[in-house]
Amino acid sequence: MEPKELMRVLKKRLWIVLLVVAIATITTAMYNKSNYQPIYQASTKVIVNKTVELEQLGNEQMDLGSMAYSIRLIDTYKEIIRTPAIMEKVVQRYPDLKLTAGELSQIINVQSINNTQVMTIMVRDFSYERAMQIVNAVTAVFQSEIPKIMKVNNIEILHNAEMKERPVPVNQQSNMYVFISAFVALVFALGAVLLLEFLDDTLKSEQDVERVMGLELLAAVPVMKKNRAKFVKQARPRNQGGEISYATVEN
């Protein structure tokens, strides 16, 4: 199909394209808005230090030579924090959270920055306040239980999660699906329009006759409306005594 012919087809059925795109875009936008649920994240930071006790005096000092060991120890702590040894303690000490040990282990995420002794403990929930409560509870239990598990007290909390006046969700609402829906609808509508034009072999205008048959149009019979046909019927010639008279036809 030539570009000129394609433009003629699209112009003739443009309303179909616009209607399909509008319906798809509006439907997707409404669905996207009604099903959007914000997810909030709260986090704490802890530092892992290798310490040694001095002559049972209860004092501790930093062993700078063991910093590399502390960094490697973080990988172990990342696994320990999600084990039942920690999760079940959280459930026992904080029953108001109404979570099981298995549910806690699924929503806890622990990350560490390479070559640092800092760990970040994160929790995501539909409520920021609830996420804050959970991550603070897990961090507190983790700090208190590590000396019993590892026989060394080397966890310090750097930062607890705090309540925010206007927390920002981590899953910002996106219009990407709306744009994708509009594009897909546009492609589908264009394909449907071209298919309809291919299947339609009727002649609907003088231009269609000239284009298909290659003949010059000499005359055309217009479509007469029902009311117009009634006036024409009244205008038939009547013979009265050899004279021809006509009824008046109003336009």
Side-chain angles (χ1 to χ4, degrees):
M1 184 177 293
E2 296 181 357
K4 185 176 181 180
E5 180 69 12
L6 179 61
M7 293 301 298
R8 184 192 66 80
V9 172
L10 295 179
K11 184 178 180 180
K12 183 172 67 172
R13 302 184 186 273
L14 181 61
W15 67 273
I16 297 178
V17 177
L18 296 178
L19 181 62
V20 172
V21 173
I23 292 176
T25 303
I26 294 174
T27 302
T28 306
M30 293 178 62
Y31 177 82
N32 193 30
K33 183 177 181 180
S34 62
N35 287 272
Y36 170 71
Q37 191 168 12
I39 299 176
Y40 299 95
Q41 176 175 287
S43 62
T44 60
K45 290 184 181 296
V46 300
I47 186 170
V48 179
N49 292 320
K50 180 67 176 65
T51 59
V52 294
E53 296 186 359
L54 296 178
E55 300 177 351
Q56 300 179 354
L57 295 178
N59 296 323
E60 296 180 345
Q61 67 180 12
M62 185 67 185
D63 184 2
L64 298 178
S66 61
M67 185 176 294
Y69 171 78
S70 296
I71 294 175
R72 292 195 301 269
L73 197 61
I74 289 178
D75 291 333
T76 302
Y77 285 171
K78 288 167 67 174
E79 295 299 323
I80 291 176
I81 195 172
R82 302 178 66 178
T83 60
I86 302 297
M87 297 292 97
E88 289 180 358
K89 292 291 184 181
V90 176
V91 173
Q92 294 173 7
R93 296 183 189 180
Y94 301 90
D96 54 311
L97 295 178
K98 298 179 180 179
L99 290 170
T100 65
E103 292 171 340
L104 269 176
S105 63
Q106 291 179 358
I107 63 176
I108 290 291
N109 186 21
V110 185
Q111 294 182 354
S112 60
I113 302 175
N114 292 335
N115 299 321
T116 69
Q117 298 169 253
V118 178
M119 290 172 53
T120 302
I121 305 171
M122 297 172 289
V123 170
R124 290 186 177 184
D125 194 85
F126 297 123
S127 167
Y128 177 80
E129 182 178 1
R130 179 175 168 82
M132 177 194 69
Q133 294 172 350
I134 295 173
V135 74
N136 285 340
V138 171
T139 304
V141 172
F142 176 65
Q143 184 188 30
S144 65
E145 292 298 314
I146 278 298
K148 302 176 184 178
I149 298 174
M150 299 293 293
K151 308 304 180 183
V152 59
N153 185 14
N154 62 348
I155 297 294
E156 293 292 335
I157 299 177
L158 298 177
H159 170 72
N160 273 322
E162 299 177 352
M163 190 61 193
K164 298 179 181 179
E165 184 177 352
R166 293 183 179 179
V168 179
V170 294
N171 62 331
Q172 293 288 341
Q173 190 170 12
S174 175
N175 293 323
M176 179 183 63
Y177 292 111
V178 177
F179 295 134
I180 293 176
S181 175
F183 176 76
V184 173
L186 177 62
V187 174
F188 174 79
L190 292 176
V193 164
L194 295 177
L195 180 61
L196 289 175
E197 183 66 20
F198 178 77
L199 297 177
D200 187 5
D201 57 357
T202 59
L203 303 178
K204 296 182 174 62
S205 65
E206 295 88 345
Q207 291 78 12
D208 290 343
V209 175
E210 294 179 354
R211 175 175 55 84
V212 175
M213 303 187 68
L215 300 175
E216 184 178 355
L217 187 66
L218 299 178
V221 179
V223 177
M224 186 175 295
K225 296 182 180 179
K226 188 174 181 180
N227 293 337
R228 185 67 178 174
K230 181 178 179 181
F231 289 135
V232 172
K233 184 177 181 180
Q234 294 177 356
R236 289 179 179 176
R238 293 175 295 175
N239 189 348
Q240 297 180 356
E243 296 182 356
I244 299 177
S245 61
Y246 296 89
T248 302
V249 179
E250 297 181 358
N251 292 327

